[in-house]
Amino acid sequence: MSLFTPSIALGRVAWLRTVLYLFVILDMHAFVRDTLMKGQQPGLYQPLFLARLFDLPKPTIANTTALYAVLLIACLVGASNCFPRLAGWIVAPAFTWWVLIGMSDGKVDHDHLALVIALWVMPTVASGRRGLAAYGDQTRSDAAGWAIRCIQICVIATYFLSAIAKLRSGHWTLAWPGSAVLTWAIVRRPHPVGEWLLHHPWMLHVLQWVGIVAEFCSPVILWLKGRWQLLGALFFIGFHAATTAILLIHFLPTVVCWLAFAPLERIAPWFRARRARRKPAATEPAYLAADG
């Protein structure tokens, strides 16, 4: 079993398809929701590098509306695991274009890195079963392992590259964790929890050091196994919960991709075993139950 192609059950990919494709629909309406507006106001559009590289057309009312409809239908089909590869190869380029348009105002959110890559690798995995049966598919596949590993690497890269960017912003010194960046962020986005922390500046410096050290050490999670890897994932999810509580800044597109580390393929067998244990009790004759 290779580090980059571990043998993983197809059931995990099926669960991820459903979660990620449904999340894309949420993302289109809650997070990257400016794409339709860019079609109505093409003057606001400043194409990003990939859009220029592939010479993508400028957004218009017609093509952004069509893109929205295609994404909505393909995501619903893909989430059902009925035509996963066909839907996946539609969603991946369509959502990439959607994001390129939506982020063309110069603010590129790095929390979408893992999500976009996940959409591109999902359709590379052939599904042995379709529909509801796909969730319980325990067939192990190197292709599934490669796709899951790609998502995991991109999740970790989001943090590690963020740490590199912090060093670069401090002219390759440790100026960032020793600065007042969290104080500035709280003043800019006031919130009760953050405002309380303003009275304890030493805690803000501790949080900054914890954050950058954790980001630098994040690649270690790729080599952890079992519960240790789960604890690493829970640490970063807790990190995002704290960020949301302090600054009201979420990283949901990245957080949802942490599911690639979870053994989702165990859900269906666990549910079947639980139901099997309950079935004899439910069918037990009434006189036996009375005697008990």
Side-chain angles (χ1 to χ4, degrees), residues 19 22 28 63 66-67 73 92-93 100 120 142 188 212 216:
V19 173
L22 292 179
M28 291 164 55
N63 61 26
L67 185 61
I73 295 171
L100 289 174
W120 279 100
D142 291 346
R188 189 170 66 94
I212 195 169
F216 268 118

Side-chain angles (χ1 to χ4, degrees), residues 133-149:
Y135 301 118
D137 193 346
Q138 300 300 307
T139 305
R140 295 199 164 267
S141 164
D142 291 346
W146 179 83
I148 293 296
R149 202 59 170 170

Side-chain angles (χ1 to χ4, degrees), residues 56-143:
L56 298 178
K58 290 185 177 182
T60 64
I61 294 177
N63 61 26
T64 55
T65 302
L67 185 61
Y68 173 83
V70 167
L71 267 172
L72 192 62
I73 295 171
C75 282
L76 290 174
V77 173
S80 70
N81 277 299
C82 290
F83 300 96
R85 302 191 81 178
L86 174 62
W89 287 124
I90 295 173
V91 171
F95 186 69
T96 303
W97 189 17
W98 179 275
V99 169
L100 289 174
I101 296 173
M103 297 185 183
S104 64
D105 52 6
K107 181 180 180 297
V108 179
D109 298 327
H110 62 290
D111 62 351
H112 278 70
L113 169 64
L115 177 60
V116 171
I117 297 301
L119 297 179
W120 279 100
V121 298
M122 282 287 100
T124 65
V125 183
S127 180
R129 301 179 184 178
R130 301 291 179 88
L132 293 177
Y135 301 118
D137 193 346
Q138 300 300 307
T139 305
R140 295 199 164 267
S141 164
D142 291 346

Side-chain angles (χ1 to χ4, degrees), residues 221 224 227-237 258:
I221 294 178
L224 296 178
R227 294 181 178 179
W228 288 107
Q229 190 176 73
L230 178 60
L231 287 174
L234 290 175
F235 170 83
F236 278 97
I237 293 173
W258 273 104

Side-chain angles (χ1 to χ4, degrees), residues 1-10 12-13 125 139-153 222 224-225 229 260-261 265:
M1 182 178 66
S2 169
L3 175 65
F4 295 102
T5 56
S7 185
I8 291 178
L10 291 172
R12 188 184 306 193
V13 177
V125 183
T139 305
R140 295 199 164 267
S141 164
D142 291 346
W146 179 83
I148 293 296
R149 202 59 170 170
C150 286
I151 301 172
Q152 292 176 343
I153 290 172
L222 294 173
L224 296 178
K225 301 293 183 182
Q229 190 176 73
F261 290 88
E265 64 274 16

